[in-house]
Amino acid sequence: MAKVKKVFFCTNCGASSPKWIGKCNACGEWNTYQEEVVVKSETKQSEKLVWKKKQGTATGNPRPVIIQEIKAGNTQRLTSSDNELNRVLGGGIVNGSLVLIGGQPGIGKSTLLLQLALSTKAKILYVSGEESEEQLKMRADRIGTSISECYILTETNVSKILTHAQDLEPQIVIIDSIQTLSSPFIDSTPGSVSQVRECAGELQRFAKEMNIPVFVIGHINKEGAIAGPKLLEHIVDTVLQFEGDRNYTYRILRTIKNRFGSTDEMGIYEMQATGLREVSNPSELLLSQTDEDLSGTAVSATMEGMRPMLIETQALVSKAVYGTPQRSATGFDLRRLSMLLAVLEKRGGLLFGQNDVFLNIAGGIRVDDPAIDLAIVAALISSLEDIAVPSDICFAGEVGLSGEIRSVNRIDQRIQEADRLGFKQIFISKYNIKGLNFDRYQIDIKTVGKVEDLYQTLFEV
Ligand code: TYD
Ligand code: MG
């Protein structure tokens, strides 16, 4: 007989409790418990599918093995048609891995994976619980390329999906999305904590035992975290985040977690009418194409993951009309902007207090790299003084609280990229020159130690 049980689950970590509690004992979060009805039948549990194991996968009875005896380098990877994705995953899709892709609604998750399914020469099963076959066909026609053997399945029952997958034996399985899946062994609504956890567990078991990579799309909640229990992120091998500003066409694919590669990689795409296009040379897109030198603009040599990228920063400093001056930043941390303004005021004697300050990073990209500070400071001073920074100058340096310009990592790569793109001059921290061979570059390297130095070199005539 099926037992009907009401259980409370923590929406943050997935812990359960027989009664409601205000603070989760497992993760310490407040007010995260929600009630779910769970029907578990013992007989049904034993009916769970047992996969026909493929050769070469882990056998049922593992023994302890000395680490030296384990053969290295036998992770088999499947190279997809999408070079950005391959790189983000650490060099291709690892067989038997479970990859979770999160992102805002409408950012292009389904498009990314359908495109992968259509253009990779492999047998692929695309399971959609969100769109009908016709809708998917329409989208596929928009994307155009179709050289693969791509099967579409519109189903939400995880057992049925995996039975089909087992019969079809595809090389990649794509699930759109985990929140629409439901397991017959659990009687709560799709998207609930227990369902998400159970379905993710089933998919993980399938991926590992059949040695087939599974991509799973996950929705994200208001705060930007992947909806469902944190546990989901622990279960999967790789978590990717697809982000970007919907008003712009650029999309960034970041690694949040990767068991098979570094989390420093990222991929850039451009959303076009015919799907996503890989952007292999981002700098050229993120620099504006104007020839005029305008005040308030400065170019920063930043690193996004392992890739150097030159990005334009724009500042507008204007007389405040209302009592309290406004501060606004797009693509940059507002508190950090306030900090930089305070430094300029205290150490540079520049008065921003009576002015509105607006800051914008080109292309709708969000930058966390501290090396962008120096370019922002230059853009702010340039707008305040209304003196343009020549467009062939770029910057890379972090600004400290006492107005000192601090060194940044991978300075060599930044200089090389600026050099390659034809910049004439780069400003870096004077503490950053250790080990640099100035003769290697054509670009003129200027070193500065304090914001005052920057002011004197650039703006004092
Ligand atoms: P979608 O993949 O449905 O987003 P998600 O699955 O993350 O919710 O992408 C939807 C958006 O992408 C939609 O607003 C239209 C746009 N789009 C294009 O601009 N070009 C295209 O070729 C496709 C397929 C979609
Ligand atoms: Mg979608």
Side-chain angles (χ1 to χ4, degrees):
M1 259 276 300
K3 280 185 279 181
V4 178
K5 247 177 43 177
K6 281 187 178 170
V7 181
F8 289 83
F9 283 101
C10 170
T11 49
N12 184 48
C13 69
S16 62
S17 154
K19 58 183 201 300
W20 189 86
I21 43 177
K23 185 185 178 195
C24 177
N25 290 330
C27 67
E29 286 290 314
W30 287 90
N31 207 10
T32 52
Y33 273 76
Q34 270 175 13
E35 185 182 30
E36 282 177 23
V37 179
V38 178
V39 179
K40 269 201 179 168
S41 88
E42 308 297 323
T43 46
K44 268 187 172 176
Q45 288 286 337
S46 62
E47 282 166 21
K48 276 193 182 173
L49 293 168
V50 179
W51 321 115
K52 312 179 261 201
K53 285 203 185 94
K54 273 193 180 173
Q55 283 194 332
T57 53
T59 51
N61 243 339
R63 294 173 293 107
V65 186
I66 290 185
I67 193 158
Q68 286 84 352
E69 283 177 10
I70 301 174
K71 280 199 217 96
N74 56 359
T75 14
Q76 296 153 342
R77 289 183 189 253
L78 201 140
T79 315
S80 77
S81 59
D82 186 337
N83 292 324
E84 299 287 300
L85 183 69
N86 288 339
R87 215 197 24 252
V88 168
L89 290 174
I93 305 166
V94 175
N95 279 346
S97 64
L98 183 59
V99 182
L100 177 66
I101 299 192
Q104 301 271 348
I107 204 80
K109 303 179 294 294
S110 308
T111 310
L112 179 76
L113 289 185
L114 187 62
Q115 201 165 329
L116 171 82
L118 292 173
S119 58
T120 302
K121 275 211 181 81
K123 189 167 165 186
I124 293 168
L125 177 63
Y126 186 101
V127 185
S128 181
E130 306 205 329
E131 285 154 305
S132 66
E133 286 165 15
E134 292 76 34
Q135 278 173 314
L136 284 165
K137 178 70 182 157
M138 263 164 59
R139 187 189 294 245
D141 288 344
R142 249 179 110 171
I143 295 171
T145 43
S146 173
I147 53 164
S148 69
E149 206 183 322
C150 175
Y151 292 85
I152 300 287
L153 173 66
T154 45
E155 173 65 71
T156 54
N157 181 324
V158 75
S159 296
K160 287 188 187 158
I161 292 172
L162 294 181
T163 316
H164 283 299
Q166 191 185 14
D167 295 342
L168 197 65
E169 289 206 10
Q171 282 160 283
I172 303 176
V173 176
I174 294 169
I175 310 275
D176 186 2
S177 63
I178 183 96
Q179 276 84 6
T180 58
L181 293 193
S182 63
S183 162
F185 306 117
I186 283 191
D187 201 25
S188 51
T189 50
S192 63
V193 175
S194 49
Q195 280 291 8
V196 167
R197 195 167 61 175
E198 177 74 16
C199 295
E202 280 290 280
L203 292 172
Q204 170 78 335
R205 210 161 60 87
F206 172 82
K208 289 286 167 293
E209 294 183 10
M210 296 289 286
N211 203 25
I212 294 174
V214 179
F215 283 85
V216 179
I217 290 179
H219 296 170
I220 63 173
N221 58 22
K222 281 204 297 295
E223 291 86 41
I226 289 163
K230 263 270 173 290
L231 205 77
L232 185 57
E233 287 170 57
H234 291 295
I235 293 175
V236 301
D237 298 305
T238 304
V239 181
L240 304 179
Q241 178 109 352
F242 205 36
E243 56 185 43
D245 194 321
R246 263 201 286 172
N247 299 324
Y248 291 90
T249 53
Y250 303 113
R251 301 285 184 269
I252 294 183
L253 189 64
R254 279 182 212 276
T255 353
I256 310 282
K257 159 184 174 180
N258 192 358
R259 286 191 182 144
F260 309 107
S262 99
T263 49
D264 278 342
E265 291 294 356
M266 66 149 211
I268 304 181
Y269 298 86
E270 190 182 357
M271 179 63 94
Q272 294 182 330
T274 53
L276 291 157
R277 186 183 70 86
E278 294 166 35
V279 177
S280 44
N281 194 354
S283 299
E284 279 158 25
L285 282 166
L286 297 171
L287 297 173
S288 75
Q289 275 88 34
T290 52
D291 299 326
E292 265 178 276
D293 286 347
L294 299 169
S295 74
T297 310
V299 176
S300 169
T302 61
M303 296 290 294
E304 271 295 343
M306 304 292 277
R307 273 206 286 186
M309 201 156 87
L310 277 94
I311 300 185
E312 200 174 88
T313 60
Q314 283 186 316
L316 178 67
V317 180
S318 68
K319 268 259 150 319
V321 193
Y322 302 108
T324 324
Q326 291 187 58
R327 304 272 180 262
S328 142
T330 317
F332 188 70
D333 184 12
L334 192 59
R335 276 170 304 179
R336 189 143 186 102
L337 173 64
S338 307
M339 187 276 269
L340 293 177
L341 289 172
V343 168
L344 287 176
E345 219 158 282
K346 178 108 183 164
R347 311 285 166 191
L350 298 162
L351 299 177
F352 286 94
Q354 297 302 310
N355 291 307
D356 289 338
V357 178
F358 304 96
L359 183 76
N360 186 23
I361 311 289
I365 289 200
R366 180 175 58 81
V367 181
D368 294 326
D369 183 4
I372 198 172
D373 286 357
L374 197 57
I376 288 178
V377 163
L380 287 170
I381 304 176
S382 160
S383 181
L384 181 76
E385 303 281 342
D386 205 14
I387 302 172
V389 177
S391 59
D392 53 7
I393 296 186
C394 62
F395 304 85
E398 183 183 345
V399 175
L401 285 184
S402 54
E404 82 277 20
I405 315 286
R406 310 171 68 107
S407 57
V408 292
N409 61 0
R410 299 177 203 279
I411 192 72
D412 181 50
Q413 265 171 286
R414 298 175 200 260
I415 299 174
Q416 267 180 33
E417 178 75 358
D419 203 9
R420 194 179 67 80
L421 291 170
F423 281 84
K424 294 277 179 302
Q425 215 173 45
I426 182 167
F427 280 74
I428 62 168
S429 161
K430 72 172 181 195
Y431 309 107
N432 225 168
I433 52 169
K434 215 189 279 170
L436 273 187
N437 180 1
F438 284 60
D439 302 334
R440 279 185 54 203
Y441 322 102
Q442 287 186 330
I443 192 169
D444 177 25
I445 301 174
K446 279 250 181 301
T447 57
V448 279
K450 283 188 272 178
V451 282
E452 292 97 303
D453 299 350
L454 180 78
Y455 189 85
Q456 277 157 12
T457 351
L458 268 183
F459 302 103
E460 264 178 15
V461 261

